[in-house]
Amino acid sequence: QVQLVESGGGLVQAGGSLTLSCAASGRTSSSSDMGWFRQAPGKEREFVAAIRVSTGNTRYANSMEGRFTISRDNAKNTVYLQMNSLKPEDTAVYYCAAGPRTLLVRVDYWGKGTLVTVSS
């Protein structure tokens, strides 16, 4: 089992920045890839970004590449999501995810989520 704990959510004004963190614990060796999904009110959960922990290879949703940057600190078993130029439509619960070597096409583990609210 892998446990994922998100932090860093909060309220930010449009145009601002926020960095989310996801700390992994447990059998982290079983999950080569980590990343983020989000779910806005009344909408389905959608993919945001993924990173291969060993190599740093990344994958982004088309609509977020350029504004969002995913990174990792292997010594801390932590993945980050730097979000810039935030828009009200970025308001969502952001979930950390982990899975095998598919860059989160498949997800085995989920965090409980952290709320990001972007005010206009």
Side-chain angles (χ1 to χ4, degrees):
Q1 291 287 331
V2 175
Q3 293 78 43
L4 304 172
V5 178
E6 303 97 335
S7 60
L11 175 64
V12 62
Q13 288 189 333
S17 299
L18 205 60
T19 299
L20 305 181
S21 301
C22 173
S25 61
R27 289 190 61 202
T28 56
S29 60
S30 67
S31 295
S32 64
D33 299 347
M34 293 179 63
W36 298 90
F37 287 70
R38 71 182 186 183
Q39 187 166 17
K43 295 189 176 181
E44 293 188 353
R45 192 172 297 190
E46 64 175 343
F47 171 75
V48 175
I51 189 166
R52 181 143 302 153
V53 172
S54 60
T55 63
N57 287 355
T58 58
R59 179 173 78 96
Y60 291 92
N62 289 341
S63 61
M64 296 164 217
E65 192 163 13
R67 292 194 302 125
F68 291 6
T69 302
I70 190 169
S71 62
R72 91 285 193 206
D73 183 334
N74 291 351
K76 296 182 179 179
N77 285 333
T78 299
V79 169
Y80 304 96
L81 185 69
Q82 172 71 41
M83 303 184 293
N84 298 324
S85 302
L86 284 163
K87 307 172 183 179
E89 50 264 42
D90 293 318
T91 294
V93 177
Y94 284 72
Y95 295 92
C96 184
R101 294 172 65 86
T102 65
L103 287 175
L104 297 185
V105 173
R106 169 182 152 182
V107 175
D108 289 341
Y109 303 101
W110 293 97
K112 294 183 178 181
T114 185
L115 177 63
V116 173
T117 304
V118 184
S119 62
S120 57

